[in-house]
Amino acid sequence: MDTPEKGSARETGRAPSVSPPLVTRTIMIVTVVAFLAELLPALDLLHRFSFVPALTLDQPWRVLTVALVHDEPSPVHLLANMIGLFFFGSFVERALGHWRFLVVYLLGTAGGSAMVLVLADPSSRDWVTNNIGASGAVFAIVGVLLVPTRRLDRNITGVVLFVVLNFGYGFLVAGVSWQAHLGGLIAGFVLGCAALLVPKKWSLPVFSAVAAALVLVMAIVGMGRVAGAGM
């Protein structure tokens, strides 16, 4: 029989170790540093990193760098996204693992940009508007939490309420991109299903295939949208 010093977690009263949300913390640090750099006028990061539908083909990196820039000089926009990332991201990262969480965050960002692009009218101001913020990525994380599975021990009512309130706020308040919220939410939900609704032995290949398919679909739809706008 094991001794108390070397026994199992149950016998010694110790809980199994839990991997810290390293990716979540790293993203938060990088985003805060980017916000501080954004305050330096000479860098002009807001206009260099924001997503502008009209610049999609010429500067495609903006579909991801959009998550690094927020409304300034007030930190309210940044704090709102970072609080959501801290609470939801820490939980989802522990459930999915580090690298799959990172994929969800990046493709959620890209999904938000893609939805903005698809729904923007080339003849309107939306086509040349600077879109900023990590809300698409945060909503992708929330999309994972909406996956109908018992493998996630979460308060589903609270998650649904968060989605409803944020979408309502986005429709009622000018300047809030509900399109980015929707795109991120869909991308996160799809990736969450791929990670959590299949047997564990198939989870890695299925998740990888679905992630690759999402990238392909967003690229094709995006290029088609820009090409159609130029006609």
Side-chain angles (χ1 to χ4, degrees):
M1 182 175 179
D2 294 327
T3 63
E5 290 78 13
K6 298 182 179 180
S8 65
R10 177 175 295 177
E11 289 167 344
T12 60
R14 294 192 300 268
S17 61
V18 177
S19 178
L22 298 177
V23 176
T24 299
R25 294 175 182 175
T26 301
I27 291 173
M28 291 180 67
I29 293 171
V30 170
T31 307
V32 170
V33 170
F35 176 78
L36 295 176
E38 188 183 339
L39 298 177
L40 301 175
L43 297 179
D44 197 23
L45 289 188
L46 190 148
H47 292 96
R48 291 176 183 271
F49 285 178
S50 60
F51 176 69
V52 182
L55 299 177
T56 302
L57 288 185
D58 294 332
Q59 301 177 19
W61 59 84
R62 289 174 178 262
V63 301
L64 294 178
T65 58
V66 61
L68 293 175
V69 288
H70 291 78
D71 190 27
E72 46 90 0
S74 170
V76 173
H77 184 205
L78 172 72
L79 289 175
N81 280 331
M82 292 303 97
I83 289 172
L85 174 60
F86 176 76
F87 286 107
F88 294 131
S90 299
F91 180 84
V92 172
E93 183 177 350
R94 290 191 177 101
L96 297 184
H98 302 311
W99 82 266
R100 287 195 297 187
F101 174 78
L102 180 60
V103 170
V104 168
Y105 191 87
L106 294 177
L107 292 192
T109 302
S113 298
M115 190 62 72
V116 170
L117 173 64
V118 169
L119 298 181
D121 182 357
S123 63
S124 73
R125 185 178 179 182
D126 292 343
W127 196 247
V128 293
T129 294
N130 292 284
N131 293 270
I132 58 176
S135 57
V138 173
F139 264 80
I141 296 169
V142 174
V144 175
L145 294 174
L146 292 176
V147 174
T149 176
R150 293 182 179 179
R151 290 171 63 179
L152 290 174
D153 182 20
R154 79 295 200 202
N155 182 349
I156 190 63
T157 302
V159 175
V160 172
L161 182 61
F162 174 86
V163 172
V164 172
L165 289 176
N166 276 272
F167 267 107
Y169 181 76
F171 279 114
L172 295 175
V173 178
V176 177
S177 179
W178 61 266
Q179 298 92 330
H181 294 177
L182 179 60
L185 189 72
I186 293 173
F189 181 77
V190 170
L191 291 170
C193 288
L196 300 170
L197 295 184
V198 298
K200 289 187 177 181
K201 65 178 181 179
W202 294 107
S203 180
L204 178 58
V206 170
F207 182 87
S208 300
V210 169
L214 271 178
V215 172
L216 183 61
V217 168
M218 286 189 288
I220 293 174
V221 171
M223 288 188 293
R225 178 59 171 157
V226 173
M231 296 178 62

